[in-house]
């Protein structure tokens, strides 16, 4: 059996660097494993995650391990492996020899060896370690040879000991990055699921981000487009000026607060083609929302289409939060972008009654602002139209 490559400082530094590079890019785990195999030619290596989460696939990297063996292992032999049974008892990051887990004589009597390892010609002279262990699963790095070469195995134990702390830190870093990415993507996924076109504008009125409905609307060039500076505009000059004024007025308001409970700032945008004008509603958004960092002067612009407004969103909210019929009707007006004073006139009630009723709706739904109520209605998945 070939003698392993000496563990020079340069080799160890190269492997450690590869570990942290792989933490940032999972595609680099394979080159890391292959570099270890170059140190120990013909060694069977498994960097393996045993867990149900999708990220497990990033750490299922094997070298010199038959595909048929992998399939059989996943299908059945994982369940009767004496090495898997040892995982809960093994100290994290501690290099271990297989004979300390199960003696050779005991291993030869197991179904795992006779029906799995032996037919697939898998070596049982192994070394390895558990890198992390959590309720949802664990990750290990293991080496195996078909011939027991004590010097080679001693060499592997030294290398595992050198790499252990770096592998553990890299896996922790990877988990942290995944959690951060997931947290950042969650608001964006909800934003894209809204039933109305929505734009977030920066303090200069340029589009910082928009949802998929808005992207489609801009591409259609029907009621709204973006100018060469990335600002939303109408094909009608008068409507464009009204939109600019509304954005400026909205930007001057405190975070989510609209004076005198009159409702969101809004304008009507005509369409190039037949159909009712779009109702553009605007709210100041200074806090961190929609996956964006907190920034002063941000504005949320929502375009509702009276000809294509899902009618069931408010009904769903009413059922879910126990709104009375009168509260449901007022919520419907608010979601449609109607100012509160105009909604009171439409419903034949006093403005003071509308204010009181709106506060009740907000208390029942947990929506502190009118913007939150509109956002809730637009996020109801069952009412989206294809």
């Amino acid at each position: 059996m070939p003698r392993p490559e000496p563990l020079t400082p340069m080799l160890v530094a190269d492997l450690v660097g590869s570990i942290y590079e792989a933490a940032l890019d999972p595609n680099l785990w394979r080159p890391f494993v292959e570099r270890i195999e170059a140190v120990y030619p013909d060694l069977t290596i498994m960097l393996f995650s045993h867990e149900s989460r999708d990220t497990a696939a990033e750490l299922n990297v094997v070298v010199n391990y038959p595909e048929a063996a992998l399939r059989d292992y996943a299908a059945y032999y994982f369940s009767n492996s004496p090495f898997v049974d040892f995982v809960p008892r093994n100290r994290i990051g501690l290099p271990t020899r297989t004979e300390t887990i199960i003696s050779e004589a005991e291993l030869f009597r197991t179904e795992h060896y006779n029906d799995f390892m032996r037919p697939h010609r898998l070596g049982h002279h192994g070394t390895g370690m558990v890198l992390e262990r959590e309720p949802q699963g664990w990750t290990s790095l293991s080496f195996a040879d078909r011939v027991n070469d004590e010097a080679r195995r001693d060499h592997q134990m030294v290398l595992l000991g050198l790499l252990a702390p770096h592998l553990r830190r890299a896996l922790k870093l990877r988990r942290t990055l995944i959690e951060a990415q997931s947290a950042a993507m969650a608001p964006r996924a909800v934003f894209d699921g809204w039933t109305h076109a929505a734009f977030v504008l920066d303090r200069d009125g340029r589009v910082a981000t928009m949802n998929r409905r808005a992207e489609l609307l801009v591409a259609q060039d029907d009621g709204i487009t973006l100018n060469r500076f990335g600002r939303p505009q109408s094909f009608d000059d008068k409507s464009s000026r009204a939109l600019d004024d509304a954005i400026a007025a909205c930007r001057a308001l405190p975070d989510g607060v609209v004076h005198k409970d009159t409702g969101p700032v809004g304008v009507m945008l005509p369409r190039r083609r037949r159909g009712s004008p779009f109702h553009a509603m605007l709210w100041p958004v200074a806090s961190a929302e929609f996956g964006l960092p907190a920034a002063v002067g941000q504005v949320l612009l929502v375009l509702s289409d009276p000809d294509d407004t899902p009618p069931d969103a408010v009904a769903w909210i009413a059922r879910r939060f126990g709104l009375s019929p009168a509260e449901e009707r007022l919520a419907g007006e608010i979601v449609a972008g109607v100012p509160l004073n105009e909604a009171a006139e439409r419903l034949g009630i006093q403005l003071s009654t509308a204010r009181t009723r709106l506060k009740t709706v907000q208390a029942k739904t947990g929506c502190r602002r009118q913007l939150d109520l509109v956002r809730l209605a637009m996020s109801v998945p069952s009412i989206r139209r294809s």
Side-chain angles (χ1 to χ4, degrees):
M1 184 169 287
R3 298 187 63 178
E5 183 179 341
L7 292 178
T8 63
M10 184 66 70
L11 171 61
V12 174
D14 182 37
L15 288 171
V16 169
S18 297
I19 288 171
Y20 291 110
E21 289 174 352
L24 301 177
D25 182 358
N27 294 319
L28 297 179
W29 282 118
R30 176 161 291 281
F32 163 71
V33 171
E34 290 174 346
R35 181 66 184 90
I36 293 178
E37 197 269 343
V39 178
Y40 309 102
D42 301 321
L43 182 69
T44 296
I45 306 174
M46 296 184 69
L47 177 59
F48 211 79
S49 288
H50 296 71
E51 54 184 332
S52 59
R53 291 185 294 182
D54 293 340
T55 54
E58 298 173 354
L59 291 179
N60 290 349
V61 183
V62 299
V63 172
N64 298 325
Y65 201 99
E67 289 188 14
L70 281 175
R71 289 194 297 268
D72 289 349
Y73 180 80
Y76 175 69
Y77 291 100
F78 163 76
S79 63
N80 64 12
S81 169
F83 308 110
V84 171
D85 290 341
F86 179 73
V87 168
R89 307 191 303 274
N90 192 37
R91 204 176 87 190
I92 304 297
L94 178 66
T96 307
R97 291 172 176 259
T98 52
E99 57 265 31
T100 64
I101 299 174
I102 184 171
S103 69
E104 190 173 65
E106 291 177 297
L107 178 66
F108 289 166
R109 293 195 295 268
T110 65
E111 176 188 10
H112 187 81
Y113 176 79
N114 289 289
D115 293 349
F116 173 64
M117 296 182 69
R118 189 174 179 181
H120 288 296
R121 303 187 72 246
L122 298 175
H124 66 277
H125 302 287
T127 58
M129 59 185 172
V130 177
L131 298 173
E132 60 178 1
R133 185 173 56 230
E134 300 176 351
Q136 63 269 30
W138 48 272
T139 302
S140 63
L141 174 63
S142 63
F143 305 155
D145 279 317
R146 285 192 289 270
V147 177
N148 187 19
D149 185 327
E150 287 292 342
R152 178 160 149 135
R153 296 181 74 197
D154 288 342
H155 195 278
Q156 293 166 10
M157 291 287 287
V158 173
L159 178 62
L160 287 171
L162 292 172
L163 299 184
H166 302 287
L167 284 164
R168 293 186 61 192
R169 292 190 194 106
L171 292 176
K172 184 177 180 180
L173 172 61
R174 183 63 188 158
R175 299 290 182 199
T176 301
L177 291 173
I178 291 172
E179 290 171 2
Q181 291 169 357
S182 298
M185 290 173 63
R188 178 71 205 191
V190 174
F191 191 43
D192 279 336
W194 284 9
T195 57
H196 295 327
F199 306 78
V200 177
L201 312 180
D202 64 19
R203 63 184 304 161
D204 296 318
R206 295 187 295 259
V207 173
T209 188
M210 63 180 111
N211 66 4
R212 292 180 181 175
R213 196 82 175 218
E215 291 173 354
L216 179 61
L217 189 60
V218 169
Q220 292 172 341
D221 190 18
D222 187 6
I224 192 168
T225 58
L226 303 183
N227 65 19
R228 63 191 180 92
F229 301 107
R231 299 187 181 99
Q233 66 177 17
S234 169
F235 67 90
D236 177 73
D237 290 341
K238 182 177 179 180
S239 298
S240 283
R241 288 193 295 272
L243 180 61
D244 289 340
D245 291 343
I247 293 172
C250 185
R251 191 183 300 116
L253 299 175
D255 181 18
V257 178
V258 180
H259 293 318
K260 300 180 181 179
D261 293 331
T262 55
V265 178
V267 296
M268 304 301 290
L269 299 180
R271 306 171 71 155
R272 289 185 184 275
R273 304 172 183 84
R274 297 174 58 183
S276 303
F278 288 107
H279 192 160
M281 300 173 284
L282 300 103
W283 291 266
V285 184
S287 59
E289 299 185 73
F290 317 110
L292 294 174
V296 177
Q298 289 185 149
V299 170
L300 174 66
L301 166 64
V302 175
L303 265 62
S304 64
D305 183 354
D307 298 331
D308 186 31
T309 300
D312 298 330
V314 176
W316 181 89
I317 291 173
R319 292 193 301 270
R320 171 66 177 79
F321 297 99
L323 303 186
S324 69
E327 293 162 354
E328 179 181 348
R329 288 192 292 271
L330 178 61
E333 297 291 336
I334 297 300
V335 168
V338 178
L340 191 61
N341 53 358
E342 184 179 334
E345 292 181 10
R346 290 189 181 191
L347 298 174
I349 58 177
Q350 297 293 322
L351 179 57
S352 58
T353 302
R355 289 173 177 165
T356 301
R357 195 167 293 171
L358 176 59
K359 290 180 181 178
T360 302
V361 170
Q362 291 174 319
K364 287 183 177 181
T365 59
C367 296
R368 183 175 61 88
R369 305 168 297 175
Q370 295 179 35
L371 166 58
D372 298 326
L373 184 62
V374 175
R375 182 182 3 233
L376 176 62
M378 287 189 290
S379 301
V380 176
S382 61
I383 52 84
R384 291 198 64 184
R385 292 179 179 176
S386 58

